[in-house]
Structure formats: C-alpha cells, structure tokens
C-alpha cells in the first residue's frame, strides 16, 4: 500500500453540526463585520444557496436551515473569498465564532461532528506516519514481538472498523475521502486491490444520499469511470447495479441516472447508453428519431431544434436560459428552432420565467418531471439540452450550451 498522509484542512476547511430543534447557525465573526456572506447546501454537483445577507456591525447573523438536513453546507464571506465547509446533521445548535486572524478558520463550539472528523483524521495521519517509520529500512527497529509494523497495522485495522461502525456523518466523509485519495483498508495490500476496494465502495457501499450532500458527488463518479473505463462490460454492470440500489427512490434514481449519462458523455462512452437497457434508461439516443413533443391535444416532431428542459428555481437552469437568450439570434440565424419545456408545477411561477424568454415555443404541462415530454425524452435532471437535425433525428444531448455553441 502506498503511504499517503491526509491533511484534511486542505480538503474540508472546517466542519460542524446543527440542531433539529432550531436548525440554525449563529454566526459571530466581528473581524468580518459589515461584509456580505452566503450560505449554500451542496447537492450533487450543484450548490443550493439558502441564505445571503450582510453580517451586522458586530459580525453577527443567524441562518435558518432545512429541518433534518444531513450533509455539507458552505459559508462564505464574499469580499475575502473565505469559504468554510460545515457539516449539517440536525442534532446540535452551533455557534461559529471569530478566528484569530483573517487567515485562520473560525471555531465551532459544541460540534460533535467537527471534533470527530478532525480527531479521526489526526489519528489516521499519525498511524500512517508510524507505519512509515516502522517500515523505514534506515531506522533500527527493536527486536520485540509483535513487530512495530504488525502493531501499527493492527491499530489501523481497528481504526478502520471504528470508522465503519460509527453512525456520524463525519465518518461517511472520512470514508468518501479515503476512497478518493486511494487510502486502502490495510497497509499490506497491492495497488490493484486498492482500486478494487475503491470500485466496490462506490458501486456497492457508499450511501448515495450521503454522497449527494457531501460535495464529492461528481469526483466519486469520475473516479469510478476512470478505474472502470477500460472494461465496457464492467462499466455497464456497475451502472445497472448502482441504479438497482436506488430502488424506488425516484429522485435519487434520477440523479444517479443523469450523472451516469453525463459521465459517460464526458469520458466518450455515449455508445454504451443504448446497451444499458430501457429498463434502466429510457431516453432517445444519438441517431434515433426524437419523440414528438406533446402540447395539449396535439404533437409535433422537433426538426432542426434545440430543446432545453429546465425548472424555475434551479440556479443552473436560469444561468443556461440566460446563455441561451444571449445566443438566440445566432441560433435563429442558423435556422435552429428553440423550444423550452419546463418542469414547473405552479402556473404563476412558470409564466413569470417564460415571459422573459424571447422565443415562441415555451411549453409546460405543470406535471414536473412526470410530464409526458420529460418522460419521453428520459429527462432525469435539469438543465438538459437536446439537439435534433432537419429530419428530427437526435444529434446531441448536453448539460451546458457551451458544449454546443463555442464563444
């Protein structure tokens, strides 16, 4: 096993917990008084900003959090580009207080999660350092039994078991980071065995719910496909297994499906999507005829069209809509028809967004992701673009307009 020491401060700057009763964080940062801040929750590869404001003259603010949220939140002071990651686990009310200097991190009083995380990584790094010394051929070792090497190995195995058995969210963060950084379950295993452990952890063990709110969603999927991409059969088997693990959790199945689609596209594995099977993935693939778009009691085949599926309230969607508006004339001049289809439920919310879009074809059946067009196109996440040619054949599926239209 390659010895690797984790300096967790460089990965997660600070972590803490919040309480079910109040689900708030009280900020007390006098050094940053009068500065703008924002607080967001990490969801998949996105950030959901839930609070913005300005610290008062004493550097105080109170942030309300979703009840029972379990995951990582991110607090930032804009002017200083300071960012602190915070575990939100719904069982403690925490006060974030003044750091010693602008370079330092604030302290989090009464944080079981934070203390556990930092203590656990300190212990893990110490064990790894001790093992490095125990196997150093340049250092004389005492003739004792068990050997220092064996003793440290036993300490490490015990530590890994304690992390595995601990219910704290911080323990799950440690497992995720160990997977990403290639820290194996034992010192005495090969690099090949470590890769096998990483793949098994991603496909069979990690909780997708915990991973989704950790901030490491996409890095984990990138790590998985990088170690699996040479074997298409294994890649497909893993994909099916992960989707089956989602069971009847429709929102999580959508997230995993969309991530698989995007990750396959990112690593040039689009051709495998057709082999994944319609029971796992219902969507028109490149080269296939696009489904007709249903509007009321009528339908039409989108030819020479760029379709954007979006949802009002989705930050990434609104960004893409603005990008699409800026490129609308260019696309229209090239005879590309723009069609937007919303997953909105409320008519008033939809009409407010739709009124600002310059193209004519703006549709919504107010059924969300269960709408017929969303189902027919296999849309499991927004924003999603579908490009068709003059015959109505699908020629591309994108998450961002810049993948299609270059600046």
């Amino acid at each position: 096993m390659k010895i690797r020491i984790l300096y967790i401060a460089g990965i997660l700057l600070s972590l803490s917990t919040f309480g079910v009763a109040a689900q708030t964080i009280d900020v007390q940062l006098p050094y940053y008084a009068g500065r703008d801040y924002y607080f967001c929750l990490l969801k998949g590869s996105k950030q959901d900003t839930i609070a913005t404001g300005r610290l008062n003259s004493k550097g105080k603010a109170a942030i309300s959090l979703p009840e029972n949220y379990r995951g990582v939140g991110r607090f930032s002071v804009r002017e200083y580009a300071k960012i602190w990651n915070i575990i939100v686990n719904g069982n403690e009310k925490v006060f974030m207080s003044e750091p010693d200097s602008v370079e330092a991190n604030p302290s989090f009083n009464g944080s079981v999660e934070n203390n556990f995380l930092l203590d656990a990584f300190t212990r893990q790094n110490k064990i790894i350092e001790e093992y490095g010394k125990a196997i150093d051929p340049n250092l004389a070792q005492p003739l004792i039994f068990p050997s220092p090497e064996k003793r440290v190995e036993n300490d490490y195995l015990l530590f890994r078991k304690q992390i595995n058995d601990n219910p704290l969210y911080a323990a799950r963060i440690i497992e995720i980071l160990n997977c990403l950084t290639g820290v194996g379950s034992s010192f005495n295993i090969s690099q090949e065995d470590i890769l096998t452990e990483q793949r098994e952890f991603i496909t069979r063990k990690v909780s997708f719910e915990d991973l989704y709110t950790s901030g490491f969603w996409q890095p984990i999927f990138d790590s998985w496909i990088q170690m699996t991409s040479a074997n298409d059969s294994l890649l497909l088997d893993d994909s099916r297994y992960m989707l089956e693990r989602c069971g009847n959790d429709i929102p999580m199945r959508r997230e995993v499906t969309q991530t698989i689609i995007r990750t396959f596209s990112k690593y040039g594995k689009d051709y495998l999507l057709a082999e994944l099977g319609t029971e796992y993935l219902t969507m028109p693939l490149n080269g296939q005829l696009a489904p007709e778009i249903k509007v009321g009691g009528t339908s039409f085949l989108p030819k020479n069209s760029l379709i954007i599926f979006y949802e009002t309230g989705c930050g990434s969607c609104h960004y893409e809509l603005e990008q699409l508006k800026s490129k609308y004339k260019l696309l229209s001049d090239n005879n590309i028809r723009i069609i937007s289809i919303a997953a909105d439920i409320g008519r008033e919310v939809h009409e407010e967004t739709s009124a600002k879009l310059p193209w004519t074809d703006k549709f919504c059946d107010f059924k969300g992701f269960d709408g017929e067009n969303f189902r027919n196109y296999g849309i499991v996440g927004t924003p999603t673009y579908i490009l068709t040619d003059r015959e109505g054949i699908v020629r591309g599926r994108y998450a961002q307009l810049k993948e299609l239209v270059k600046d």
Side-chain angles (χ1 to χ4, degrees), residues 238-262:
D238 282 356
S239 299
R240 295 183 184 112
Y241 191 87
M242 286 190 288
L243 289 169
E244 287 174 354
R245 281 183 60 201
C246 296
N248 294 323
D249 187 342
I250 303 301
M252 186 53 60
R253 187 182 181 92
R254 284 174 177 160
E255 292 294 338
V256 174
T257 303
Q258 183 71 5
T259 302
I260 288 174
I261 292 170
R262 291 180 177 176

Side-chain angles (χ1 to χ4, degrees), residues 92-381:
E92 290 177 339
K93 181 177 180 180
V94 168
F95 298 88
M96 185 166 74
S97 58
E98 179 75 359
D100 296 331
S101 68
V102 69
E103 292 81 15
N105 294 320
S107 60
F108 297 88
N109 300 329
S111 172
V112 172
E113 293 272 7
N114 183 47
N115 291 335
F116 178 84
L117 184 83
L118 296 179
D119 289 347
F121 268 105
T122 298
R123 182 181 171 194
Q124 176 169 294
N125 287 338
K126 182 178 179 181
I127 293 173
I128 293 174
E129 286 178 336
E130 289 179 351
Y131 187 78
K133 294 176 182 178
I135 62 173
D136 189 341
N138 297 317
L139 295 178
Q141 301 294 341
L143 297 176
I144 59 176
F145 184 82
S147 66
E149 178 181 345
K150 183 63 176 177
R151 176 183 57 78
V152 178
E153 168 74 11
N154 289 339
D155 288 345
Y156 182 69
L157 294 176
L158 177 60
F159 169 81
R160 292 288 296 230
K161 184 178 186 306
Q162 290 171 341
I163 294 298
N164 181 72
D165 294 342
N166 195 296
L168 290 177
Y169 186 79
R172 309 290 75 78
I173 291 291
I174 293 170
E175 292 176 329
I176 291 169
L177 285 172
N178 280 346
C179 174
L180 284 172
T181 54
V183 177
S185 62
S186 168
F187 293 135
N188 298 313
I189 60 175
S190 66
Q191 189 62 38
E192 183 179 354
D193 288 337
I194 290 177
L195 290 173
T196 299
E197 286 187 349
Q198 288 175 297
R199 175 178 157 267
E200 290 290 314
F201 174 79
I202 295 168
T203 59
R204 299 177 181 275
K205 180 179 178 182
V206 68
S207 161
F208 291 134
E209 288 77 13
D210 288 342
L211 178 63
Y212 184 67
T213 56
S214 71
F216 300 107
W217 178 266
Q218 192 59 52
I220 279 288
F221 279 92
D222 285 341
S223 178
W224 160 68
I225 200 169
Q226 287 168 10
M227 69 180 72
T228 316
S229 60
N231 187 329
D232 287 354
S233 295
L234 188 60
L235 197 59
L236 288 169
D237 287 345
D238 282 356
S239 299
R240 295 183 184 112
Y241 191 87
M242 286 190 288
L243 289 169
E244 287 174 354
R245 281 183 60 201
C246 296
N248 294 323
D249 187 342
I250 303 301
M252 186 53 60
R253 187 182 181 92
R254 284 174 177 160
E255 292 294 338
V256 174
T257 303
Q258 183 71 5
T259 302
I260 288 174
I261 292 170
R262 291 180 177 176
T263 306
F264 274 35
S265 177
K266 179 179 179 180
Y267 289 89
K269 294 291 182 178
D270 306 68
Y271 61 90
L272 290 177
L273 292 174
E275 297 184 44
L276 194 53
T278 56
E279 69 270 33
Y280 296 99
L281 187 65
T282 302
M283 59 178 287
L285 302 172
N286 287 352
Q288 295 181 347
L289 186 67
E292 291 192 343
I293 291 178
K294 310 292 184 179
V295 183
T298 65
S299 62
F300 66 92
L301 180 65
K303 298 181 179 180
N304 258 21
S305 300
L306 180 62
I307 312 164
I308 179 172
F309 291 86
Y310 75 95
E311 183 178 14
T312 298
C314 160
S316 297
C317 296
H318 282 278
Y319 175 81
E320 289 301 320
L321 287 172
E322 290 301 315
Q323 296 300 303
L324 190 54
K325 286 164 63 176
S326 71
K327 301 294 184 183
Y328 175 54
K329 186 178 185 305
L330 173 64
L331 293 164
S332 295
D333 289 346
N334 284 274
N335 297 315
I336 296 178
R337 179 183 185 180
I338 305 301
I339 302 169
S340 57
I341 303 177
D344 299 336
I345 301 297
R347 187 175 299 275
E348 184 177 344
V349 169
H350 168 68
E351 290 178 351
E352 182 179 351
T353 299
S354 181
K356 301 174 183 177
L357 305 179
W359 48 88
T360 302
D361 299 308
K362 300 175 283 190
F363 307 122
C364 182
D365 61 10
F366 307 104
K367 296 180 180 179
F369 281 84
D370 293 325
E372 192 169 6
N373 291 315
F374 271 75
R375 293 200 312 271
N376 289 344
Y377 277 84
I379 303 302
V380 292

